[in-house]
Amino acid sequence: MDTGTTAFILSCIIGLTMMVPGLALFYGGMVSVKSSLNMMVMTFGAVAVVGILWVLFGYSMVFGDSYGGAGLLGNVTEFAGLGGVLTEKDTALPLALFAVFQALFAAITVAIISGAAADRMKFSSWMVFAAVWAVLVYFPVAHWVFAFDATDGSTVGGWIANKLKAVDYAGGTAVHINSGAAALAIAIVLGKRRTWGTAPRPHNLPLTLLGAGLLWAGWYAFNGGSALAAGHNASVVMLTTFVATCAAMLAWLGVEIVRDGHATTMGAASGAIAGLVAITPSCGAVSPMGAIVVGVAGGIVCPLALGLKERFGYDDSLDVVGVHLVGGVVGTLMVGLIATADAPSGQAGLLHGGGLRLLGVQATAAGAVLAYSFVLTLVIALVLKKTIGLRVDPDHEEGGLDSALHRERAYDLA
């Protein structure tokens, strides 16, 4: 066992867990006070249900030997129940630790989608959706992206990681494009909120900014921990993650000033998240200067993309599509343009003499995950809509989901 790496990943797991309240606060502050608790518990609920599924068979679906060597799905029974963590003691990184680390990736990915369903989705339906989506969408896609072939040939991993050989250091495709495409599908099936066009303003921007700060802190674990070792690569990744986030925040605020004449707190928080999303696939592929370029690209493109929901009429309540889907695509494609062979990922993009090959590979990976996630999510949502129903009653939506679904309210000032 490598005790240094083990200690590092232990710390990263704490950081990743901090992203759970971070996302809850980020989303919870953005919605009406009447539905803020519902929004927050959707995050915690998703983490809970995915965590159980992960132990039962999720880890096995992602990291098990690929059926038929096709790179599409891991062997569901190979690690079922994760009983092997009790006896496997000779690895550099304990299997139990790696399992928890990746479980949090899965849980956070599912939780991100909830932002598109704010103010109008039944909590019970959300929990069922979270479970089904994790099994049918996240676990297969994570196998494509995160499962690498064993060096001795004993295990075959996913097709994006091993056959296509796309660069996705920490989940631009499996996490952000995946959740963003799902958010688009669920928003379409749910339909618009009753307040569409005059949606209530965020009830507590300090909470949202605090949530963004916690997510930023946890993202170092998200990206840096993906090195799976305490050393040079993790250090470079944490630096590029920091720089890109700063650049994206400034770029987003700049867009606001040019477009609206003023910078906003919401823009600062959203800009930080856009930078974190964009740098996730490219954090190990670019130089620090390249990270600034990635951040600026995300910080400009994402706020402009928010207007797509008004143009096309889908109610993506908390801008999951504009930030996660668009930001994930930007970051994934930027690898093909500005990746440098000196970075930990070791591949060169178009502007560093690598030609068009890597850009084509990145576009293929992004397109495949986007299409699979959108279509499967659309099917899942339509089936649930026809069976258990997705949307709350109109009077519950009007009165707020906290009191209707949870018999609670966020602030008791009496």
Side-chain angles (χ1 to χ4, degrees):
M1 180 187 298
D2 182 337
T3 55
T5 289
T6 298
F8 173 64
I9 300 300
L10 280 167
S11 300
C12 286
I13 287 171
I14 296 171
L16 280 169
T17 305
M18 190 164 59
M19 295 178 77
V20 177
L23 184 63
L25 289 169
F26 182 73
Y27 279 170
M30 291 173 69
V31 298
S32 163
V33 66
K34 298 183 295 183
S35 298
S36 57
L37 292 178
N38 171 261
M39 190 71 257
M40 298 173 79
V41 79
M42 288 174 81
T43 293
F44 280 86
V47 173
V49 71
V50 173
I52 298 302
L53 293 173
W54 186 256
V55 172
L56 293 177
F57 52 79
Y59 179 90
S60 197
M61 287 179 68
V62 176
F63 294 105
D65 190 21
S66 190
Y67 284 114
L72 298 177
L73 186 68
N75 188 323
V76 176
T77 61
E78 185 173 350
F79 299 105
L82 287 177
V85 303
L86 301 178
T87 56
E88 189 170 350
K89 302 176 182 179
D90 297 328
T91 55
L93 180 66
L95 174 60
L97 206 55
F98 180 70
V100 177
F101 182 77
Q102 286 292 336
L104 285 161
F105 271 58
I108 291 166
T109 302
V110 177
I112 288 170
I113 303 169
S114 66
D119 297 325
R120 62 202 190 281
M121 188 172 185
K122 296 178 182 177
F123 181 68
S124 57
S125 298
W126 164 251
M127 294 294 283
V128 174
F129 171 84
V132 175
W133 192 86
V135 174
L136 298 183
V137 182
Y138 181 79
F139 295 161
V141 171
H143 179 72
W144 302 354
V145 176
F146 293 142
F148 288 88
D149 295 345
T151 54
D152 61 2
S154 59
T155 302
V156 176
W159 72 274
I160 286 180
N162 302 285
K163 295 182 173 66
L164 187 62
K165 297 188 183 300
V167 174
D168 187 353
Y169 201 85
T173 54
V175 176
H176 298 295
I177 294 176
N178 200 5
S179 60
L184 177 58
I186 198 72
I188 291 171
V189 175
L190 274 172
K192 302 179 182 68
R193 287 169 291 179
R194 292 168 58 86
T195 54
W196 171 258
T198 57
R201 293 183 298 175
H203 91 279
N204 195 325
L205 283 173
L207 281 187
T208 294
L209 200 60
L210 175 60
L214 289 171
L215 287 169
W216 189 345
W219 226 289
Y220 293 122
F222 200 95
N223 289 355
S226 294
L228 297 179
H232 172 76
N233 288 357
S235 303
V236 170
V237 164
M238 288 188 178
L239 173 60
T240 56
T241 299
F242 171 72
V243 172
T245 308
C246 294
M249 186 189 301
L250 293 175
W252 190 299
L253 293 175
V255 169
E256 287 190 330
I257 291 171
V258 171
R259 183 184 59 194
D260 308 320
H262 55 268
T264 67
T265 303
M266 190 69 241
S270 297
I273 301 303
L276 291 163
V277 170
I279 198 62
T280 294
S282 54
C283 58
V286 300
S287 67
M289 290 301 296
I292 294 177
V293 175
V294 172
V296 169
I300 292 175
V301 175
C302 288
L304 297 178
L306 300 189
L308 294 174
K309 62 182 181 181
E310 282 79 20
R311 180 175 181 181
F312 294 105
Y314 60 89
D315 189 2
D316 173 24
S317 313
L318 305 186
D319 299 318
V320 182
V321 177
V323 174
H324 291 273
L325 175 57
V326 174
V329 170
V330 168
T332 299
L333 296 181
M334 289 297 287
V335 173
L337 292 174
I338 63 172
T340 171
D342 295 330
S345 295
Q347 295 203 48
L350 178 63
L351 300 183
H352 285 276
L356 289 169
R357 183 201 66 82
L358 184 57
L359 182 59
V361 164
Q362 297 300 107
T364 301
V369 172
L370 194 163
Y372 180 83
S373 179
F374 178 79
V375 172
L376 263 290
T377 306
L378 200 65
V379 172
I380 293 168
L382 287 171
V383 170
L384 293 180
K385 182 179 181 179
K386 294 293 184 182
T387 53
I388 63 174
L390 291 178
R391 191 157 178 160
V392 298
D393 294 336
D395 56 334
H396 290 168
E397 186 176 343
E398 180 70 25
L401 273 58
D402 289 357
S403 60
L405 301 183
H406 308 292
R407 298 294 186 267
E408 295 173 306
R409 56 184 177 178
Y411 307 104
D412 192 346
L413 303 178

mmCIF file of all heavy atoms in Angstrom, residues 231-267:
data_model
loop_
_atom_site.group_PDB
_atom_site.id
_atom_site.type_symbol
_atom_site.label_atom_id
_atom_site.label_comp_id
_atom_site.label_asym_id
_atom_site.label_seq_id
_atom_site.Cartn_x
_atom_site.Cartn_y
_atom_site.Cartn_z
ATOM 1 N N GLY A 231 1.247 13.586 -6.155
ATOM 2 C CA GLY A 231 2.497 13.871 -6.848
ATOM 3 C C GLY A 231 2.355 15.001 -7.848
ATOM 4 O O GLY A 231 1.466 15.854 -7.744
ATOM 5 N N HIS A 232 3.226 14.969 -8.835
ATOM 6 C CA HIS A 232 3.312 16.052 -9.815
ATOM 7 C C HIS A 232 2.001 16.248 -10.575
ATOM 8 O O HIS A 232 1.528 17.388 -10.713
ATOM 9 C CB HIS A 232 4.449 15.746 -10.799
ATOM 10 C CG HIS A 232 4.508 16.679 -11.963
ATOM 11 N ND1 HIS A 232 5.005 17.957 -11.858
ATOM 12 C CD2 HIS A 232 4.114 16.525 -13.259
ATOM 13 C CE1 HIS A 232 4.919 18.561 -13.044
ATOM 14 N NE2 HIS A 232 4.392 17.717 -13.905
ATOM 15 N N ASN A 233 1.434 15.177 -11.088
ATOM 16 C CA ASN A 233 0.234 15.305 -11.909
ATOM 17 C C ASN A 233 -0.919 15.959 -11.145
ATOM 18 O O ASN A 233 -1.600 16.849 -11.656
ATOM 19 C CB ASN A 233 -0.201 13.941 -12.440
ATOM 20 C CG ASN A 233 0.733 13.414 -13.518
ATOM 21 O OD1 ASN A 233 1.682 14.083 -13.917
ATOM 22 N ND2 ASN A 233 0.470 12.214 -14.001
ATOM 23 N N ALA A 234 -1.142 15.512 -9.911
ATOM 24 C CA ALA A 234 -2.215 16.096 -9.109
ATOM 25 C C ALA A 234 -1.959 17.574 -8.849
ATOM 26 O O ALA A 234 -2.892 18.389 -8.854
ATOM 27 C CB ALA A 234 -2.349 15.342 -7.792
ATOM 28 N N SER A 235 -0.709 17.930 -8.652
ATOM 29 C CA SER A 235 -0.360 19.326 -8.389
ATOM 30 C C SER A 235 -0.649 20.205 -9.603
ATOM 31 O O SER A 235 -1.216 21.298 -9.486
ATOM 32 C CB SER A 235 1.125 19.432 -8.018
ATOM 33 O OG SER A 235 1.432 18.618 -6.904
ATOM 34 N N VAL A 236 -0.260 19.723 -10.797
ATOM 35 C CA VAL A 236 -0.527 20.476 -12.014
ATOM 36 C C VAL A 236 -2.024 20.643 -12.228
ATOM 37 O O VAL A 236 -2.518 21.725 -12.582
ATOM 38 C CB VAL A 236 0.118 19.773 -13.232
ATOM 39 C CG1 VAL A 236 -0.352 20.402 -14.549
ATOM 40 C CG2 VAL A 236 1.639 19.835 -13.139
ATOM 41 N N VAL A 237 -2.765 19.574 -12.004
ATOM 42 C CA VAL A 237 -4.215 19.599 -12.213
ATOM 43 C C VAL A 237 -4.880 20.591 -11.264
ATOM 44 O O VAL A 237 -5.802 21.329 -11.657
ATOM 45 C CB VAL A 237 -4.793 18.184 -12.039
ATOM 46 C CG1 VAL A 237 -6.297 18.218 -11.866
ATOM 47 C CG2 VAL A 237 -4.412 17.315 -13.224
ATOM 48 N N MET A 238 -4.450 20.640 -10.019
ATOM 49 C CA MET A 238 -5.036 21.597 -9.084
ATOM 50 C C MET A 238 -4.732 23.037 -9.503
ATOM 51 O O MET A 238 -5.573 23.929 -9.367
ATOM 52 C CB MET A 238 -4.536 21.318 -7.668
ATOM 53 C CG MET A 238 -5.123 20.053 -7.067
ATOM 54 S SD MET A 238 -4.690 19.876 -5.323
ATOM 55 C CE MET A 238 -5.556 18.355 -4.909
ATOM 56 N N LEU A 239 -3.537 23.269 -10.040
ATOM 57 C CA LEU A 239 -3.182 24.606 -10.520
ATOM 58 C C LEU A 239 -4.058 25.012 -11.702
ATOM 59 O O LEU A 239 -4.617 26.114 -11.726
ATOM 60 C CB LEU A 239 -1.708 24.647 -10.915
ATOM 61 C CG LEU A 239 -1.228 25.942 -11.585
ATOM 62 C CD1 LEU A 239 -1.434 27.134 -10.655
ATOM 63 C CD2 LEU A 239 0.235 25.810 -11.997
ATOM 64 N N THR A 240 -4.192 24.144 -12.689
ATOM 65 C CA THR A 240 -5.006 24.490 -13.857
ATOM 66 C C THR A 240 -6.476 24.674 -13.470
ATOM 67 O O THR A 240 -7.168 25.531 -14.024
ATOM 68 C CB THR A 240 -4.884 23.426 -14.967
ATOM 69 O OG1 THR A 240 -5.240 22.131 -14.447
ATOM 70 C CG2 THR A 240 -3.468 23.369 -15.515
ATOM 71 N N THR A 241 -6.939 23.886 -12.497
ATOM 72 C CA THR A 241 -8.317 24.028 -12.020
ATOM 73 C C THR A 241 -8.530 25.400 -11.391
ATOM 74 O O THR A 241 -9.526 26.081 -11.663
ATOM 75 C CB THR A 241 -8.646 22.921 -11.007
ATOM 76 O OG1 THR A 241 -8.530 21.644 -11.641
ATOM 77 C CG2 THR A 241 -10.048 23.081 -10.447
ATOM 78 N N PHE A 242 -7.592 25.829 -10.580
ATOM 79 C CA PHE A 242 -7.697 27.143 -9.937
ATOM 80 C C PHE A 242 -7.680 28.273 -10.961
ATOM 81 O O PHE A 242 -8.522 29.181 -10.934
ATOM 82 C CB PHE A 242 -6.546 27.310 -8.942
ATOM 83 C CG PHE A 242 -6.424 28.707 -8.387
ATOM 84 C CD1 PHE A 242 -7.357 29.180 -7.488
ATOM 85 C CD2 PHE A 242 -5.374 29.528 -8.771
ATOM 86 C CE1 PHE A 242 -7.259 30.471 -6.970
ATOM 87 C CE2 PHE A 242 -5.268 30.814 -8.266
ATOM 88 C CZ PHE A 242 -6.205 31.287 -7.354
ATOM 89 N N VAL A 243 -6.735 28.220 -11.868
ATOM 90 C CA VAL A 243 -6.561 29.311 -12.838
ATOM 91 C C VAL A 243 -7.777 29.423 -13.761
ATOM 92 O O VAL A 243 -8.270 30.522 -14.041
ATOM 93 C CB VAL A 243 -5.275 29.095 -13.658
ATOM 94 C CG1 VAL A 243 -5.177 30.105 -14.788
ATOM 95 C CG2 VAL A 243 -4.052 29.199 -12.765
ATOM 96 N N ALA A 244 -8.265 28.299 -14.248
ATOM 97 C CA ALA A 244 -9.415 28.323 -15.163
ATOM 98 C C ALA A 244 -10.647 28.901 -14.479
ATOM 99 O O ALA A 244 -11.431 29.632 -15.100
ATOM 100 C CB ALA A 244 -9.703 26.915 -15.672
ATOM 101 N N THR A 245 -10.838 28.580 -13.195
ATOM 102 C CA THR A 245 -11.993 29.085 -12.463
ATOM 103 C C THR A 245 -11.928 30.598 -12.317
ATOM 104 O O THR A 245 -12.931 31.302 -12.505
ATOM 105 C CB THR A 245 -12.077 28.416 -11.078
ATOM 106 O OG1 THR A 245 -12.006 27.000 -11.244
ATOM 107 C CG2 THR A 245 -13.357 28.779 -10.361
ATOM 108 N N CYS A 246 -10.762 31.102 -11.991
ATOM 109 C CA CYS A 246 -10.586 32.552 -11.891
ATOM 110 C C CYS A 246 -10.880 33.224 -13.230
ATOM 111 O O CYS A 246 -11.582 34.246 -13.293
ATOM 112 C CB CYS A 246 -9.157 32.878 -11.461
ATOM 113 S SG CYS A 246 -8.720 32.331 -9.793
ATOM 114 N N ALA A 247 -10.341 32.675 -14.307
ATOM 115 C CA ALA A 247 -10.525 33.264 -15.634
ATOM 116 C C ALA A 247 -11.993 33.246 -16.050
ATOM 117 O O ALA A 247 -12.510 34.218 -16.626
ATOM 118 C CB ALA A 247 -9.671 32.509 -16.656
ATOM 119 N N ALA A 248 -12.680 32.142 -15.770
ATOM 120 C CA ALA A 248 -14.089 32.031 -16.158
ATOM 121 C C ALA A 248 -14.954 33.025 -15.395
ATOM 122 O O ALA A 248 -15.882 33.619 -15.957
ATOM 123 C CB ALA A 248 -14.581 30.607 -15.924
ATOM 124 N N MET A 249 -14.669 33.204 -14.110
ATOM 125 C CA MET A 249 -15.448 34.160 -13.332
ATOM 126 C C MET A 249 -15.309 35.566 -13.899
ATOM 127 O O MET A 249 -16.293 36.295 -14.089
ATOM 128 C CB MET A 249 -15.012 34.139 -11.866
ATOM 129 C CG MET A 249 -15.891 35.016 -10.976
ATOM 130 S SD MET A 249 -15.237 35.217 -9.305
ATOM 131 C CE MET A 249 -15.168 33.522 -8.753
ATOM 132 N N LEU A 250 -14.071 35.956 -14.200
ATOM 133 C CA LEU A 250 -13.843 37.288 -14.768
ATOM 134 C C LEU A 250 -14.512 37.425 -16.128
ATOM 135 O O LEU A 250 -15.098 38.473 -16.444
ATOM 136 C CB LEU A 250 -12.340 37.548 -14.882
ATOM 137 C CG LEU A 250 -11.568 37.663 -13.557
ATOM 138 C CD1 LEU A 250 -10.082 37.801 -13.826
ATOM 139 C CD2 LEU A 250 -12.086 38.836 -12.727
ATOM 140 N N ALA A 251 -14.438 36.376 -16.944
ATOM 141 C CA ALA A 251 -15.045 36.426 -18.276
ATOM 142 C C ALA A 251 -16.560 36.539 -18.179
ATOM 143 O O ALA A 251 -17.190 37.322 -18.913
ATOM 144 C CB ALA A 251 -14.654 35.182 -19.075
ATOM 145 N N TRP A 252 -17.181 35.775 -17.286
ATOM 146 C CA TRP A 252 -18.638 35.832 -17.121
ATOM 147 C C TRP A 252 -19.066 37.232 -16.671
ATOM 148 O O TRP A 252 -20.022 37.805 -17.199
ATOM 149 C CB TRP A 252 -19.089 34.795 -16.102
ATOM 150 C CG TRP A 252 -20.574 34.586 -16.018
ATOM 151 C CD1 TRP A 252 -21.518 35.529 -15.673
ATOM 152 C CD2 TRP A 252 -21.303 33.371 -16.272
ATOM 153 N NE1 TRP A 252 -22.764 34.978 -15.691
ATOM 154 C CE2 TRP A 252 -22.677 33.656 -16.057
ATOM 155 C CE3 TRP A 252 -20.932 32.085 -16.642
ATOM 156 C CZ2 TRP A 252 -23.673 32.689 -16.201
ATOM 157 C CZ3 TRP A 252 -21.932 31.113 -16.782
ATOM 158 C CH2 TRP A 252 -23.276 31.417 -16.572
ATOM 159 N N LEU A 253 -18.345 37.796 -15.674
ATOM 160 C CA LEU A 253 -18.669 39.135 -15.205
ATOM 161 C C LEU A 253 -18.476 40.164 -16.318
ATOM 162 O O LEU A 253 -19.252 41.125 -16.430
ATOM 163 C CB LEU A 253 -17.799 39.488 -13.994
ATOM 164 C CG LEU A 253 -18.063 38.667 -12.734
ATOM 165 C CD1 LEU A 253 -17.063 39.026 -11.636
ATOM 166 C CD2 LEU A 253 -19.479 38.868 -12.228
ATOM 167 N N GLY A 254 -17.458 39.949 -17.148
ATOM 168 C CA GLY A 254 -17.238 40.836 -18.287
ATOM 169 C C GLY A 254 -18.394 40.796 -19.271
ATOM 170 O O GLY A 254 -18.827 41.839 -19.793
ATOM 171 N N VAL A 255 -18.909 39.599 -19.528
ATOM 172 C CA VAL A 255 -20.071 39.466 -20.412
ATOM 173 C C VAL A 255 -21.261 40.225 -19.828
ATOM 174 O O VAL A 255 -21.987 40.931 -20.547
ATOM 175 C CB VAL A 255 -20.431 37.975 -20.621
ATOM 176 C CG1 VAL A 255 -21.789 37.839 -21.307
ATOM 177 C CG2 VAL A 255 -19.354 37.283 -21.450
ATOM 178 N N GLU A 256 -21.463 40.089 -18.523
ATOM 179 C CA GLU A 256 -22.576 40.797 -17.877
ATOM 180 C C GLU A 256 -22.436 42.313 -18.009
ATOM 181 O O GLU A 256 -23.421 43.020 -18.280
ATOM 182 C CB GLU A 256 -22.659 40.411 -16.396
ATOM 183 C CG GLU A 256 -23.190 39.013 -16.138
ATOM 184 C CD GLU A 256 -23.473 38.774 -14.673
ATOM 185 O OE1 GLU A 256 -22.780 39.390 -13.823
ATOM 186 O OE2 GLU A 256 -24.372 37.979 -14.356
ATOM 187 N N ILE A 257 -21.231 42.817 -17.812
ATOM 188 C CA ILE A 257 -21.017 44.265 -17.878
ATOM 189 C C ILE A 257 -21.287 44.780 -19.289
ATOM 190 O O ILE A 257 -21.961 45.796 -19.487
ATOM 191 C CB ILE A 257 -19.591 44.609 -17.429
ATOM 192 C CG1 ILE A 257 -19.445 44.351 -15.921
ATOM 193 C CG2 ILE A 257 -19.252 46.058 -17.760
ATOM 194 C CD1 ILE A 257 -18.028 44.454 -15.413
ATOM 195 N N VAL A 258 -20.775 44.057 -20.285
ATOM 196 C CA VAL A 258 -20.982 44.474 -21.673
ATOM 197 C C VAL A 258 -22.452 44.357 -22.057
ATOM 198 O O VAL A 258 -23.013 45.247 -22.720
ATOM 199 C CB VAL A 258 -20.107 43.618 -22.615
ATOM 200 C CG1 VAL A 258 -20.468 43.883 -24.074
ATOM 201 C CG2 VAL A 258 -18.633 43.913 -22.380
ATOM 202 N N ARG A 259 -23.108 43.287 -21.653
ATOM 203 C CA ARG A 259 -24.487 43.020 -22.067
ATOM 204 C C ARG A 259 -25.517 43.787 -21.245
ATOM 205 O O ARG A 259 -26.492 44.319 -21.780
ATOM 206 C CB ARG A 259 -24.754 41.516 -21.958
ATOM 207 C CG ARG A 259 -26.137 41.069 -22.438
ATOM 208 C CD ARG A 259 -26.322 39.573 -22.181
ATOM 209 N NE ARG A 259 -26.194 39.247 -20.751
ATOM 210 C CZ ARG A 259 -26.046 38.006 -20.295
ATOM 211 N NH1 ARG A 259 -25.970 36.982 -21.124
ATOM 212 N NH2 ARG A 259 -25.952 37.796 -18.984
ATOM 213 N N ASP A 260 -25.295 43.848 -19.902
ATOM 214 C CA ASP A 260 -26.316 44.391 -19.013
ATOM 215 C C ASP A 260 -25.910 45.683 -18.312
ATOM 216 O O ASP A 260 -26.744 46.331 -17.683
ATOM 217 C CB ASP A 260 -26.691 43.354 -17.943
ATOM 218 C CG ASP A 260 -27.054 42.002 -18.545
ATOM 219 O OD1 ASP A 260 -27.734 41.998 -19.588
ATOM 220 O OD2 ASP A 260 -26.649 40.969 -17.978
ATOM 221 N N GLY A 261 -24.622 45.997 -18.361
ATOM 222 C CA GLY A 261 -24.163 47.215 -17.715
ATOM 223 C C GLY A 261 -23.765 47.060 -16.269
ATOM 224 O O GLY A 261 -23.374 48.027 -15.618
ATOM 225 N N HIS A 262 -23.829 45.838 -15.723
ATOM 226 C CA HIS A 262 -23.449 45.620 -14.337
ATOM 227 C C HIS A 262 -23.066 44.155 -14.123
ATOM 228 O O HIS A 262 -23.530 43.277 -14.835
ATOM 229 C CB HIS A 262 -24.594 45.999 -13.391
ATOM 230 C CG HIS A 262 -25.879 45.291 -13.705
ATOM 231 N ND1 HIS A 262 -26.832 45.825 -14.534
ATOM 232 C CD2 HIS A 262 -26.373 44.082 -13.300
ATOM 233 C CE1 HIS A 262 -27.849 44.985 -14.643
ATOM 234 N NE2 HIS A 262 -27.599 43.909 -13.902
ATOM 235 N N ALA A 263 -22.200 43.949 -13.147
ATOM 236 C CA ALA A 263 -21.812 42.587 -12.756
ATOM 237 C C ALA A 263 -22.652 42.157 -11.567
ATOM 238 O O ALA A 263 -23.028 42.976 -10.731
ATOM 239 C CB ALA A 263 -20.331 42.546 -12.394
ATOM 240 N N THR A 264 -22.962 40.846 -11.494
ATOM 241 C CA THR A 264 -23.835 40.355 -10.432
ATOM 242 C C THR A 264 -23.153 39.275 -9.589
ATOM 243 O O THR A 264 -22.218 38.604 -10.047
ATOM 244 C CB THR A 264 -25.133 39.758 -11.018
ATOM 245 O OG1 THR A 264 -24.814 38.567 -11.748
ATOM 246 C CG2 THR A 264 -25.818 40.750 -11.937
ATOM 247 N N THR A 265 -23.675 39.116 -8.383
ATOM 248 C CA THR A 265 -23.221 38.031 -7.514
ATOM 249 C C THR A 265 -23.529 36.680 -8.140
ATOM 250 O O THR A 265 -22.708 35.752 -8.097
ATOM 251 C CB THR A 265 -23.907 38.135 -6.150
ATOM 252 O OG1 THR A 265 -23.626 39.406 -5.585
ATOM 253 C CG2 THR A 265 -23.406 37.050 -5.210
ATOM 254 N N MET A 266 -24.722 36.556 -8.728
ATOM 255 C CA MET A 266 -25.110 35.319 -9.391
ATOM 256 C C MET A 266 -24.157 35.010 -10.535
ATOM 257 O O MET A 266 -23.793 33.856 -10.769
ATOM 258 C CB MET A 266 -26.545 35.445 -9.912
ATOM 259 C CG MET A 266 -27.156 34.138 -10.420
ATOM 260 S SD MET A 266 -27.468 32.951 -9.123
ATOM 261 C CE MET A 266 -26.421 31.615 -9.670
ATOM 262 N N GLY A 267 -23.730 36.058 -11.239
ATOM 263 C CA GLY A 267 -22.783 35.864 -12.330
ATOM 264 C C GLY A 267 -21.435 35.377 -11.842
ATOM 265 O O GLY A 267 -20.796 34.539 -12.482
#
